[in-house]
Amino acid sequence: MTTWTNDELTRIEHAEELQMTPSRSDGTPRTPVPIWVVRDGDDLYVRSFRGSAGAWYRAARASHEGRIRSGGVDKDVTLIEVTAPGVNDRIDTAYGTKYGRYGTSYIDPMVASRNTTLKLAPR
């Protein structure tokens, strides 16, 4: 299994956004969407601001594959659904820490969308 390098983790962690290009069910790429990304240890996570109604999220959940670009890193990823409460608690905190300056109108929907948490696993 492929893992993130320390350099990749740091570059993506410090980037403001990530360009997510989920694959359609036929394997073709969708249009890239800018989304927020957070790091927890040696893992990277994303959520859908629009919850499960987000178009990119629905495609990502259907295919579990995509491509990301952030901080100069361009990588194919497997998208793994995360339901563990402890992990989601840490992701809630990470969103608040990294993006709190944008205020509750942005952070609250990210915390409320914890059922859309996806772990990015490099391929």
Side-chain angles (χ1 to χ4, degrees):
M1 179 175 185
T2 306
T3 59
W4 296 106
T5 67
N6 229 9
D7 181 58
E8 290 170 330
L9 286 167
T10 300
R11 290 167 69 185
I12 295 170
E13 173 186 21
H14 293 294
E16 186 66 15
E17 294 179 327
L18 174 141
Q19 291 290 320
M20 168 63 72
T21 307
S23 299
R24 292 183 177 93
S25 57
D26 66 2
T28 60
R30 289 182 49 91
T31 302
V33 176
I35 59 174
W36 286 353
V37 59
V38 295
R39 179 180 177 178
D40 180 48
D42 290 337
D43 296 314
L44 298 167
Y45 298 89
V46 296
R47 286 182 178 164
S48 172
F49 181 82
R50 300 196 189 297
S52 58
W56 78 264
Y57 174 75
R58 289 191 320 267
R61 190 162 179 228
S63 70
H64 295 281
E65 293 184 352
R67 186 160 190 87
I68 59 105
R69 184 176 303 157
S70 182
V73 177
D74 196 354
K75 201 71 118 169
D76 288 323
V77 293
T78 300
L79 305 164
I80 303 165
E81 296 175 51
V82 177
T83 58
V87 173
N88 271 306
D89 290 345
R90 293 192 309 271
I91 302 311
D92 291 347
T93 300
Y95 272 108
T97 299
K98 183 172 180 180
Y99 298 107
R101 68 187 176 280
Y102 292 104
T104 58
S105 62
Y106 289 95
I107 297 301
D108 289 354
M110 296 306 288
V111 171
S113 295
R114 64 191 280 156
N115 65 325
T116 67
T117 305
L118 297 172
K119 178 179 167 182
L120 305 177
R123 291 191 276 133

